[in-house]
Amino acid sequence: MKESVLPRILLVGHPNCGKSTIFNLLTGGHAKTGNWHGVTVGASEKTASLGKLRASVIDLPGIYALGAPSMEERCTRDEVEGGRYALAAVVADALTLPRSAALLRHTAERAPRTVLIVTMCDLLARQGGFADEKKLSKELGVPVLCISARRRAGAKRLKAFLADLLGGDDVNARSRPPQKASSAQGCKKGDALACPIREGYFAGKRGESRAERLLFDPRIALPLFFLTIAAVFFFAFGDHMPGVFLKERIESAVSDGAGGRLAFLVRGAGGAEAAASFVEAFFGGLGMLLSFLPQIAILFFALFLMEESGYMSALAFMTDGLFRRVGLTGRAVFSLLMGFGCTAAALLTTRGLENERLQRRVAFILPYIPCSAKMPVFLTIAAAFFSRPFLAVVLIYAAGAALALTAALVLARVRPAGGEFVMEIARLRLPSLGEAVKSLLFYLKQFIMKIVTTVSAVLIVMWLLLSFDFSFRFVGEGGAGCMAEMLCRALKYLFYPMGITDWRIALSALSGLAAKESVAGMLSVVYGKALPQAMSTASAAAFTAFMLACPPCVSALAAAAREIGKRRALAAAALGTVTAFALAYAVYAVFTAGALLLPAAGGAGLAFFAFGIKKRGGKKVENISRTRARRAQRFHGQRISAGLLRLLPPFKGKGDTRQRKKDGAERSPLSG
Amino acid sequence: MDLCGLKAGERARITGVEAGRLTERLALLNVYAGATVTLVRRAPFGGNLLLEAGGVRLAVRKGLAARIFCEKEEE
């Protein structure tokens, strides 16, 4: 039977109702499931075998209602209203069935045939509730099936149910006659709200389990939050822990093992030095990229378990009051703190953040957090210039964190995170390890395909710049006269205000684009122990500041591009470079001119900041008026809540109706 | 009164929701005029309110809770 002839079944439902589990059940697929919103983006279609019948099942993005505006939801609405399918199956969670009643009604009004599949009925029974298929079917007017998707018996019943509805040549005769929903009178026409289910369903009572009560205890939640982050961090990035261990193993296996051996073969066979060098560089880059995998896997796995079990949302809830003051959430802080280990991996963990603006904000801030790859640079400089290198490094890290915090506060002012949001707090439950592993493998495959390819391309270009001169003659990696050298001889002028005049330092900074560890490597190759002679202390401090704020390696850039889009990632990198240089110049100025220059530098810094903020707000004319209007409202709002408005005459005019509504809202707590 | 006036464990019937574009989202989480909602707890540091409505548990910030009006229900 050709694919196009198969009957199509649409799966529709709210997020987190087990829709993707049903999809996987029917098709044996590995659609990524999870408590995150937007996990299923875009429809996925696969064939399922329902006993003797075969059908094509489409898993649509989870939606809240068919009238909703977000992109994933529009895709679902288009599919449902398009009508090129045999059956629309609304999947609902037994624990929150009334919530899906409105969605069911919407779908039933638009689809040729609709059924309701209620999942997690075992959990419902466990908390003393029940769902009666016959009564619900009569109440809602569609065929209803209640199963527990995790059990084999449930899967069997599901397939039989669907086959029965679709099966046979004469599909129309087999279909049940359309029933008038007996609850139709309860729902207001065209209203998405208030569609109660009166018969056939009882939610049961469920008090909080002991674990939940512990988790929601403020004395436990906050320390537990930081302990969890520390544990995950340590597991992924700690010395001798699996993350680092595997990272080093993979890197040496691919770069030295495979790359080295291949290069040896090439040289032995009389190949050109350029070819051998290319092989070494290529496998070196590949090794570095693949070595990211273990740490990314650990972070992803940890996050998956925490999100699926409801642990993360509980802790995020408890810590939200604290982090909201700096414009972040608990989940965002997790991603930020992982940045101390690896910026690229941390960027990839921002996927599940509560909303896009927050994700962008975190992606902008992350480069300022010094990743572990910057550590060798700091250590090299600190060891050369300070009598207490460890203390110096600690100070550097503190400075990095302070920088990130400042960035967070500035961004919170300039681009607020778009108002309130409502978070659903999942119940604590045991996550499925099988799903975790499947999701992980899918995710890693995506990483390899997307990021490894982009970054490899960039690395090859860098190798070309380093190994060939402008007449495309091979000069050896970093050899005299290579294109990179010419480039850095020009770029070195950017480093002059830092008191650095050697172009090789510019080169080492450039090599940091590939991997931050190379900066330290280059410095030691070029200067060895003679670093204090090459740079003054002021320059060293300035260079450290530069390293602290400069944009991260190209892998992190690729990760950022994947999360927030290419344009924004490049903009963030450009901004980061500019701030890095500015910061370095400022540090150098402070160190050389001493305390006299400090107030002047401070004033200049503040002016730059203010200019920078204004510039961003005024980029487009609409932005200016919107920002100004917003500011005016807030200002106005402060006046109102101070109670002064009672003395001022009310404003007239169209724009002010919006303000007045806000006034009303602001005033009600006072009068209420 | 609004939700901010509730104490942990108290139940209330919602009389009005003024949440702009979030009103529909709230309704689909069982928070709409006429529905019963329980304040399970408040987060520390002046944080969010954890509500339970028809089996669904959701967290809202204080600013939003102040715009959900209700009447306390006697036990």
Side-chain angles (χ1 to χ4, degrees), chain A residues 357 414-416 617-634 658-659:
Chain A
R357 288 233 195 143
V414 171
R415 286 210 197 283
K619 224 179 181 175
K620 286 189 191 138
V621 181
E622 319 146 81
N623 266 357
I624 289 183
S625 46
R626 228 184 287 146
T627 326
R628 259 199 227 132
R630 227 186 282 140
R631 274 202 218 118
Q633 282 181 355
R634 237 184 281 136
R658 213 184 299 147
Q659 281 186 348

Side-chain angles (χ1 to χ4, degrees), chain A residues 7 10 42 96 109 190 208-209 276 296 298 506-507 512 584 631 638 652:
Chain A
L10 283 191
T96 59
E109 283 171 3
E208 282 187 334
S209 62
I296 291 180
I298 291 179
L507 183 64
R631 274 202 218 118
Q638 284 177 357
K652 295 205 168 79

Side-chain angles (χ1 to χ4, degrees), chain A residues 134-399:
Chain A
K134 289 206 180 69
K135 286 201 182 138
L136 278 174
S137 186
K138 191 154 158 248
E139 172 93 2
L140 300 167
V142 295
V144 176
L145 179 71
C146 298
I147 55 166
S148 161
R150 294 197 194 194
R151 305 246 177 86
R152 274 232 195 108
K156 261 188 170 173
R157 283 190 68 207
L158 175 64
K159 294 189 179 174
F161 178 74
L162 290 172
D164 186 49
L165 282 167
L166 287 174
D169 308 301
D170 199 350
V171 182
N172 288 323
R174 282 291 201 92
S175 70
R176 309 210 184 159
Q179 287 167 287
K180 195 78 195 236
S182 55
S183 71
Q185 302 90 345
C187 297
K188 291 182 240 172
K189 206 157 196 223
D191 195 349
L193 319 177
C195 246
I197 299 181
R198 281 170 299 211
E199 283 247 9
Y201 176 73
F202 175 64
K205 281 226 189 262
R206 188 178 165 185
E208 282 187 334
S209 62
R210 214 178 306 161
E212 283 175 338
R213 261 175 300 178
L214 266 179
L215 211 55
F216 284 110
D217 185 339
R219 294 165 300 181
I220 294 191
L222 202 65
L224 193 61
F225 178 74
F226 287 109
L227 262 169
T228 313
I229 291 188
V232 174
F233 184 88
F234 190 60
F235 201 72
F237 302 112
D239 278 330
H240 312 299
M241 294 305 275
V244 174
F245 177 76
L246 285 170
K247 173 180 191 184
E248 290 170 354
R249 275 278 170 283
I250 290 183
E251 184 145 20
S252 65
V254 177
S255 308
D256 307 325
R261 251 176 243 149
L262 203 59
F264 179 73
L265 285 173
V266 169
R267 285 201 182 93
E273 182 58 30
S277 167
F278 175 76
V279 164
E280 272 174 348
F282 179 75
F283 276 90
L286 198 67
M288 177 200 75
L289 285 170
L290 290 178
S291 72
F292 279 120
L293 284 177
Q295 291 173 328
I296 291 180
I298 291 179
L299 286 186
F300 179 88
F301 200 72
L303 263 180
F304 186 92
L305 289 178
M306 288 197 288
E307 299 252 4
E308 280 300 285
S309 60
Y311 184 78
M312 176 60 88
S313 69
L315 285 183
F317 169 78
M318 292 301 281
T319 55
D320 193 63
L322 196 64
F323 296 129
R324 192 184 35 175
R325 295 161 204 261
V326 293
L328 299 169
T329 65
R331 182 74 179 67
V333 170
F334 178 91
S335 292
L336 282 176
L337 290 179
M338 289 305 136
F340 279 109
C342 170
T343 314
L347 277 165
L348 292 175
T349 65
T350 59
R351 176 52 71 96
L353 280 180
E354 284 89 350
N355 63 29
E356 262 186 12
R357 288 233 195 143
L358 185 63
Q359 186 185 25
R360 284 177 212 158
R361 187 183 298 172
V362 172
F364 265 74
I365 298 173
L366 264 172
Y368 295 122
I369 298 208
C371 66
S372 56
K374 291 189 183 173
M375 174 79 101
V377 186
F378 297 147
L379 272 176
T380 312
I381 295 186
F385 289 92
F386 294 95
S387 53
R388 300 257 216 104
F390 182 66
L391 187 64
V393 171
V394 168
L395 278 173
I396 293 175
Y397 267 72

